[in-house]
């Protein structure tokens, strides 16, 4: 299995560890590889975008929720599992902005691979997973949104919980 890394910029990460971004783009990466539009089509048709998310291709930290090809590349929405230690660590580093890369684990399909001016052109790949990486091979791909938990969010949740308690008390009194 081969791997390709891409950069992402951290804007925010939500309390559930959900993020969106590009696991790959159609730009030439630092290794000279170019992934062509349509390269992920068969894999996405076969697995429906359901694939694991790893930390540096070695430790399982989450699961992809959605994936599609668009004009820029392979867009993904994933969720880091915050119930596992490495997931919490990856979440903290991504939220801080210290980890800015994504990397795909794939196998090139030989009869869909060519070479142009010494660069490998990947017309189709079998995608197995993608990973969070501190250093990415493709700086053009980026996380679009990693949401941060804010004080406003916590205040809103507390207010909703208070309102729910009030309604529960109100209904209990009506029943009595």
């Amino acid at each position: 299995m081969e791997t390709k890394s891409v950069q992402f910029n951290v804007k925010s990460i939500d309390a559930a560890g959900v993020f969106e971004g590009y696991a790959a783009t159609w730009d030439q990466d630092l290794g000279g590889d170019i992934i062509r539009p349509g390269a992920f089509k068969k894999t996405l048709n076969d697995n429906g975008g359901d694939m694991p998310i790893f930390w540096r291709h070695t430790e399982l930290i989450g699961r992809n929720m959605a994936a599609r090809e668009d004009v820029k590349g392979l867009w993904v929405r994933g969720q880091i599992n915050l119930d596992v230690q490495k997931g919490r660590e990856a979440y903290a580093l991504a939220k801080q902005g210290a980890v800015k890369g994504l990397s795909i684990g794939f196998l090139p399909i030989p009869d869909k691979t060519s070479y142009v001016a010494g660069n490998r052109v990947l017309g189709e790949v079998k995608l197995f997973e993608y990973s969070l990486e501190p250093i990415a091979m493709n700086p053009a791909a980026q996380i679009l949104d990693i949401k941060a938990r804010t004080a406003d969010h916590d205040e809103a949740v507390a207010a909703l919980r208070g309102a729910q308690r009030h309604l529960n008390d109100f209904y209990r009194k009506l029943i009595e």
Side-chain angles (χ1 to χ4, degrees):
M1 179 172 72
E2 297 186 31
T3 61
K4 288 284 172 194
S5 302
V6 294
Q7 283 295 112
F8 68 88
N9 291 327
V10 178
K11 292 182 181 178
S12 59
I13 190 163
D14 76 7
V18 175
F19 64 92
E20 295 180 5
Y22 285 90
T25 68
W26 311 133
D27 303 289
Q28 181 174 331
D29 70 17
L30 298 176
D33 283 351
I34 301 165
I35 300 173
R36 290 283 184 225
F40 302 105
K41 185 177 180 179
K42 182 169 181 353
T43 295
L44 295 178
N45 283 339
D46 291 348
N47 71 14
D50 186 14
M51 69 191 100
I53 302 170
F54 284 85
W55 170 253
R56 306 204 70 203
H57 302 290
T58 59
E59 295 180 66
L60 182 62
I61 60 167
R63 182 171 173 235
N64 192 61
M65 300 164 63
R68 69 176 181 268
E69 287 190 14
D70 65 18
V71 296
K72 183 173 181 173
L74 178 63
W75 173 89
V76 294
R77 180 183 321 115
Q79 183 173 26
I80 299 169
N81 186 332
L82 303 178
D83 290 331
V84 296
Q85 180 62 36
K86 189 53 75 176
R88 288 190 297 275
E89 292 170 10
Y91 168 85
L93 291 168
K95 190 167 103 173
Q96 180 189 38
V99 173
K100 297 181 178 180
L102 290 176
S103 178
I104 57 172
F106 69 97
L107 285 176
I109 304 302
D111 64 342
K112 304 287 183 171
T113 300
S114 61
Y115 291 85
V116 175
N119 297 310
R120 186 168 64 165
V121 179
L122 302 165
E124 183 182 331
V125 299
K126 178 155 180 61
L127 182 64
F128 295 102
E129 52 88 11
Y130 63 91
S131 295
L132 273 68
E133 283 283 348
I135 299 172
M137 184 65 86
N138 184 343
Q142 306 176 20
I143 281 290
L144 300 172
D145 196 20
I146 296 183
K147 298 179 182 167
R149 187 173 184 163
T150 64
D152 290 342
H153 173 270
D154 291 340
E155 287 175 21
V157 169
L160 286 170
R161 286 185 180 141
Q164 183 65 47
R165 281 191 299 273
H166 177 73
L167 282 172
N168 288 344
D169 291 342
F170 174 77
Y171 288 126
R172 228 182 330 265
K173 290 177 184 176
L174 280 176
I175 294 170
E176 295 173 354

